[in-house]
Amino acid sequence: MQWRVRQAGVADADLLSLVANATFLDTYAPSLDGADLLAHCLKNNRADAFAVWLADPAIVVTVAEIEPGHAPLGYAVLTRPNFPIALEPTDIELRRIYSLRQAHGTGVGPALMARAIEDAARLGAERLLLGVWEQNARARTFYERHGFRVIGTREFQVGTEVHIDPIYALDLSAMPSPLA
């Protein structure tokens, strides 16, 4: 499978809504209640929510897509952090990073992560934060392999379910410069 990673633009809101819903369901359908999954997707993965993100110059949205044809495989979103921990002015949050199951093992996930790290550094961030479902062992292993470490927890609601998720951080100031 050939694919590419690119920065999303305002015209990609519908595509991002589609891949956001597909990847969320693909990831959590075996583990969470169907009504809670549906409520979460309807609230958080609407095209208009992506349109707001895409219009904000402080937010970076990246999409991975098949070539040729450009069907979406995954995406990532960098935003201002929203965590119940002490935040620094140079923090940025990797709010979302997902890929469809058929993209696992193809390099799409590492490419989305590499791009998120590059974009965070380009925006002047010194620390990249993310939250992950405590029971998502695959994702947690992926983040730890990329150098992220747990620094706290947060409550995360999916429908009516409230989960206590770890918050991870990656120190970008300790990473080698991509220009070196």
Side-chain angles (χ1 to χ4, degrees), residues 25-44:
L25 292 170
D26 189 41
T27 302
Y28 299 110
S31 307
L32 300 175
D33 179 75
D36 287 332
L37 288 168
L38 180 61
H40 180 86
C41 288
L42 290 173
K43 177 183 176 189
N44 296 293

Side-chain angles (χ1 to χ4, degrees), residues 10 21 33 54 57 76-77 121 129 143-144 148 155 176:
V10 291
N21 285 313
D33 179 75
L54 292 163
V77 179
L129 306 174
Y143 302 138
E144 290 165 8
F148 285 85
E155 287 187 359

Side-chain angles (χ1 to χ4, degrees), residues 19-20 23-24 27-28 40 64 73-76 95-100 104 108-109 112 136 143 156:
V19 75
T23 56
F24 197 83
T27 302
Y28 299 110
H40 180 86
L73 291 170
Y75 73 109
R95 176 79 46 104
R96 306 234 185 122
I97 181 168
Y98 285 98
S99 66
L100 292 169
H104 292 180
V108 165
L112 284 168
N136 191 340
Y143 302 138
F156 187 79

Side-chain angles (χ1 to χ4, degrees), residues 90-164:
T90 56
D91 287 345
I92 195 164
E93 180 179 350
L94 181 53
R95 176 79 46 104
R96 306 234 185 122
I97 181 168
Y98 285 98
S99 66
L100 292 169
R101 189 175 314 276
Q102 62 263 39
H104 292 180
T106 66
V108 165
L112 284 168
M113 180 60 77
R115 180 69 178 265
I117 291 169
E118 289 172 15
D119 287 338
R122 178 180 52 79
L123 292 171
E126 293 181 8
R127 189 168 69 158
L128 182 57
L129 306 174
L130 62 86
V132 62
W133 185 38
E134 64 187 335
Q135 296 178 39
N136 191 340
R138 181 182 178 92
R140 293 183 71 177
T141 299
F142 175 77
Y143 302 138
E144 290 165 8
R145 191 171 49 244
H146 282 85
F148 285 85
R149 299 293 170 249
V150 175
I151 61 164
T153 61
R154 65 147 180 211
E155 287 187 359
F156 187 79
Q157 188 164 352
V158 178
T160 60
E161 292 185 36
V162 176
H163 302 271
I164 305 301

